[in-house]
Amino acid sequence: AQSVTQPDIHITVSEGASLELRCNYSYGATPYLFWYVQSPGQGLQLLLKYFSGDTLVQGIKGFEAEFKRSQSSFNLRKPSVHWSDAAEYFCAVDSSGGSYIPTFGRGTSLIVHP
Amino acid sequence: GAGVSQTPSNKVTEKGKYVELRCDPISGHTALYWYRQSLGQGPEFLIYFQGTGAADDSGLPNDRFFAVRPEGSVSTLKIQRTERGDSAVYLCASSLLAGASDTQYFGPGTRLTVL
């Protein structure tokens, strides 16, 4: 069965610092991979997704993620964090053959210090 | 245009009661998904509809949970004989079509508390 691991429950960074959120997945073939953000009182919003091709994926709000098959990872990065980026971030994997039944990680809470 | 809306935003009920949670998807979206998010966890898939039919209900935890989408738009998640373990935020999402290439748009959720 597919699974997603987000090893960091909380991450604290200073505003303006770079950010990397880790995500590891377990699946035999190349899955579809996603990152979502959930801000307080708001719905989940898709940041970016990877299906195939270029392993470096650009998303909204200045985020990017890199798929590394050898490490079964899909880490999310941002070069300079803004206070408004404080939120919960979820990595998800879909290996259901495109019917999009994703399996989500437990999330990483990002705290941004001024 | 309007996004996905869910009502009520909060629901408190007593153990053993019946509840209905409503989801209004984005107009024209044919696919609709229900998830459950427990405290400190990621969303967990429950069921998804393609049009009026349930295309996959493999995530429903037991037969106390049921969902309908009679006209291919609004959907209702129904929970019978609620238990304290059903307390969670129930999320709804819709997409234009069903598939990984179609972005799912999520509603704000309904927080269900079973006392």
Side-chain angles (χ1 to χ4, degrees):
Chain A
Q2 61 187 353
S3 66
V4 178
T5 301
Q6 293 182 249
D8 303 305
I9 297 175
H10 302 283
I11 290 281
T12 301
V13 299
S14 298
E15 191 170 16
S18 63
L19 171 70
E20 182 169 34
L21 302 182
R22 296 184 290 165
C23 174
N24 293 93
Y25 67 90
S26 172
Y27 180 61
T30 300
Y32 300 140
L33 295 159
F34 307 82
W35 275 99
Y36 282 87
V37 61
Q38 188 175 39
S39 299
Q42 299 191 17
L44 280 159
Q45 182 181 23
L46 180 68
L47 287 175
L48 47 80
K49 55 188 176 184
Y50 172 79
F51 294 159
S52 63
D54 193 346
T55 57
L56 186 61
V57 181
Q58 301 297 320
I60 62 172
K61 304 185 180 188
F63 286 92
E64 67 178 25
E66 186 171 13
F67 170 61
K68 292 186 177 180
R69 182 190 305 275
S70 62
Q71 298 176 20
S72 296
S73 69
F74 189 57
N75 294 348
L76 182 71
R77 301 194 296 246
K78 186 169 184 177
S80 178
V81 170
H82 188 262
W83 64 267
S84 61
D85 293 324
E88 192 82 17
Y89 290 81
F90 293 95
C91 181
V93 58
D94 170 28
S95 58
S96 58
S99 62
Y100 196 16
I101 302 175
T103 297
F104 285 85
R106 64 177 298 168
T108 297
S109 179
L110 175 64
I111 301 164
V112 181
H113 282 314
Chain B
V4 177
S5 63
Q6 294 185 245
T7 54
S9 55
N10 282 284
K11 176 70 176 178
V12 180
T13 191
E14 295 179 343
K15 180 177 179 297
K17 299 291 188 181
Y18 168 83
V19 297
E20 291 189 350
L21 312 180
R22 176 187 168 106
C23 173
D24 279 89
I26 294 172
S27 178
H29 280 194
T30 64
L32 185 147
Y33 303 79
W34 283 100
Y35 299 86
R36 179 169 67 175
Q37 186 174 17
S38 300
L39 191 62
Q41 301 296 319
E44 177 187 22
F45 169 78
L46 296 176
I47 183 172
Y48 95 91
F49 291 86
Q50 180 61 46
T52 60
D56 190 316
D57 64 357
S58 62
L60 294 178
N62 51 59
D63 61 6
R64 295 187 298 106
F65 288 74
F66 189 70
V68 296
R69 196 187 184 198
E71 298 178 357
S73 179
V74 171
S75 176
T76 304
L77 178 65
K78 307 180 181 192
I79 309 175
Q80 298 177 322
R81 305 182 303 279
T82 52
E83 299 178 356
R84 292 192 180 87
D86 298 334
S87 296
V89 176
Y90 289 81
L91 301 173
C92 175
S94 70
S95 63
L96 190 58
L97 299 170
S101 61
D102 290 288
T103 298
Q104 289 189 17
Y105 296 87
F106 283 79
T110 293
R111 182 176 299 277
L112 175 66
T113 302
V114 181
L115 301 177

